[in-house]
Amino acid sequence: MAVMIIVPLVAFFTAYSVTKVPEPEELVNNQISYIMASDNNTELARIVPPEGNRQNVKLDEVPMSVRQAVLAAEDREFYSNPGFSVSGFARAAVGQVLGREGAGGGSTITQQYVKNALVGDEFSLSRKAKELVISAKMAREWSKDEILEAYLNTIYFGRNSYGISAAAHAYFDKDVKDLTPEEGAVLAATIQAPSSLDPWTNRERAESRWNYVLDGMVGINAMKESDRRKAVYPKVKDPAETAENTQAVGTNGLIKTKVIEELEQAGITEEQVNTGGLKITTTIDPKMQADAVDEIHKKMEGQQQGLRTAVASVDPKTGGVRAWYGGDDPVGFDFAGAGLQSGSTFKIFTLAAYLDQGGSLYDQFDSSPVMTGDAQVNNDGGASCGTCSIAEALKQSLNTSFIRLTQALKGGPQDVADMAHRLGVAESLPGVGKTLQEKNGKPADGITLGMYQSSPLDMATALATLSNGGTYHRPHFVQKVENSNGDVLLDNTKDEGDRVVSEEVANGVIQAMQPIAAYSNGNSLAGGRPSAAKTGTAQLGDTGENKDAWMLGSTPQLSTAVWVGTAEGKPIHNSYGGIMYGSGLPAQIWKGVMDRSLENTEIEQFNTGAAASSGYTGGYAGGGNAGGAAGAGQPEEQEQESPAPASPASPPSPAPAPAPRQPAPQGGNRPPNNDLQNLLDGILNP
């Protein structure tokens, strides 16, 4: 028994004698994380740790009622105890021996301060013993007011707020000196469990704890019983309105969000980013980014009110995202990563699947009206090339030829979906779920017309894969992550890529796409720079209006997807009121972004010498010369349209956010009880 008493006492006093208690200001470690452009010099965003927004306040700046609320909540004997609780330590020791992680409790304010500021919250007997030693010594070296002041300036109150001053702004958007007793009790109540006791998300439990605090204030004579009876639970602010730990403007805020998501997928938590002083080097090219945003703003001037656009540029040789624009609201809806109906841009995947099965660009396809199930598909305005090569049909964006091509594939529309996924189109998207399929898990023939949803990033990535000779690189925003010591936590610079289709197939699609930029209202790139492009639109039901317009195009150095539409899926018009097509504003934005992004860079040529050209004798090939209805410049009205999806998804709209996109209206003269005909009839025939 003597040994059991003497040994712990000797250990305690030995530790006590050698332990140094630091000053409060020595305990704060404010390390800002920086999100940098690829030049490592241009700052895109910075993430200030919550402690970095902490403002030390003197104890006399904190209203007495607020201090007393904290004492009532956490340590009602604070001014009389020796800085530690022997009973609390005993409970923790027994819990450690019995393996009860929830054991413990009864920690004094001094112990809480020591735990949070010095020893951490690891569940171990040695850590608890260290906490006890430091708390005992601190209680002798510091005054009670000094301990309480340090505690109030460092304790976590939730909402990324460390310290009473930050908490006052986070919950009530006011200075701490202006807090009422009821508001002080709200803050004191959160200390026990900040996340689960936030009244914005758990009002019932938060108010129960608040009542406990007020009752405790009465118990320690800090509040009159009459005032307690009159107390009303105060209104707190929406946490989204008071969040200030991220500093980013415009679309850089959306880039920051994509970076955080990518880091989490790599095992680097948001807590590490928020507090670890990381240096995050992104793939964003600062000049390309600045030029893209400037070009978008210029091109959007004078356009239809409520019109939105998204731009994603990807390096085909690395997968790095070089420029990104999903909107100007740093915390708003990001259209560049959203699921959007892709229109005729999707025809390139049908062509890739066909070439992958041995087809040729020169194989002939009939462009007359065609049946898919019980529905008839036509070309906009009755356009036709008669029977022409599939390359010519792609240039003219003839729906009927590509429905026949889809039907000629060994696996039908599933082959189109599989090819799109191979090249880089995501298999699932937020707000959409699994992509490129009906509820039965299979796609319809209309997949080739872009009836399903994909994101601008997906489309830019897939074209980047084709532009890179069929080698896929995972799209990414982060090049490298280093901690405050210079240690590399993540390095994405050594990705060698994966070959997903043959070089012949990839080059064949690129060859077919090369005439399209010039064919689409003369949107060739400056200086004769070659490009591979495809326009696309999605019509709004049988209204004769379009709701989505695309331009997708690349060079060997850069692949860029441009989408134009509205948040609600409303009709879109050009600046003079006409129906908008991909060959209009989207193509103009694409050309401007590409020209400025590639200015003063080498003009590289596509390697289309290995393009697929083998013969194919599939079901819809036929004789005749390629050409037909080709013209020097395709008018906007001739661009082919895609049907609305059967079950369009509304993008998630965090507040404040644009209204969700509505399902495209469908109607017109159609036979009853024919879903497929209802889907297509009146959409392809305005």
Side-chain angles (χ1 to χ4, degrees), residues 17 21 32 59 80 90 115 170 203 276 327 370 402 406 424 438 475 509 511 538 623 649 659 663:
S17 64
V21 178
I32 298 173
L59 189 62
S80 60
K115 180 183 71 173
R203 172 62 182 267
V370 63
F402 274 84
T406 301
E438 298 294 312
V509 179
Q511 179 177 319

Side-chain angles (χ1 to χ4, degrees), residues 285-299 311 322-323 589 592-600:
D285 183 289
K287 181 182 182 303
M288 289 184 182
Q289 179 68 18
D291 286 345
V293 172
D294 182 63
E295 190 67 24
I296 290 164
H297 287 164
K298 287 181 177 178
K299 290 292 193 297
V311 173
R322 307 296 275 163
I589 293 174
V593 168
M594 292 290 284
D595 282 344
R596 293 180 64 171
S597 296
L598 298 171
E599 187 178 14
N600 299 322

Side-chain angles (χ1 to χ4, degrees), residues 565-609:
T566 68
E568 305 84 7
K570 293 181 178 179
I572 54 176
H573 302 102
N574 52 36
S575 57
Y576 53 88
I579 296 174
M580 184 179 295
Y581 289 85
S583 55
L585 180 62
Q588 295 164 18
I589 293 174
W590 174 82
K591 173 176 167 54
V593 168
M594 292 290 284
D595 282 344
R596 293 180 64 171
S597 296
L598 298 171
E599 187 178 14
N600 299 322
T601 66
E602 178 185 357
I603 295 179
E604 295 186 18
Q605 303 293 327
F606 288 109
N607 179 24
T608 54

Side-chain angles (χ1 to χ4, degrees), residues 64 66-79 109 148 151 188 213 216-217 220:
M64 179 60 73
V66 176
R67 290 182 246 167
Q68 291 169 329
V70 172
L71 298 182
E74 298 299 316
D75 189 355
R76 297 180 184 182
E77 298 177 351
F78 170 72
Y79 277 97
I109 278 179
L148 183 58
Y151 175 81
V213 173
M217 292 177 71
I220 62 174

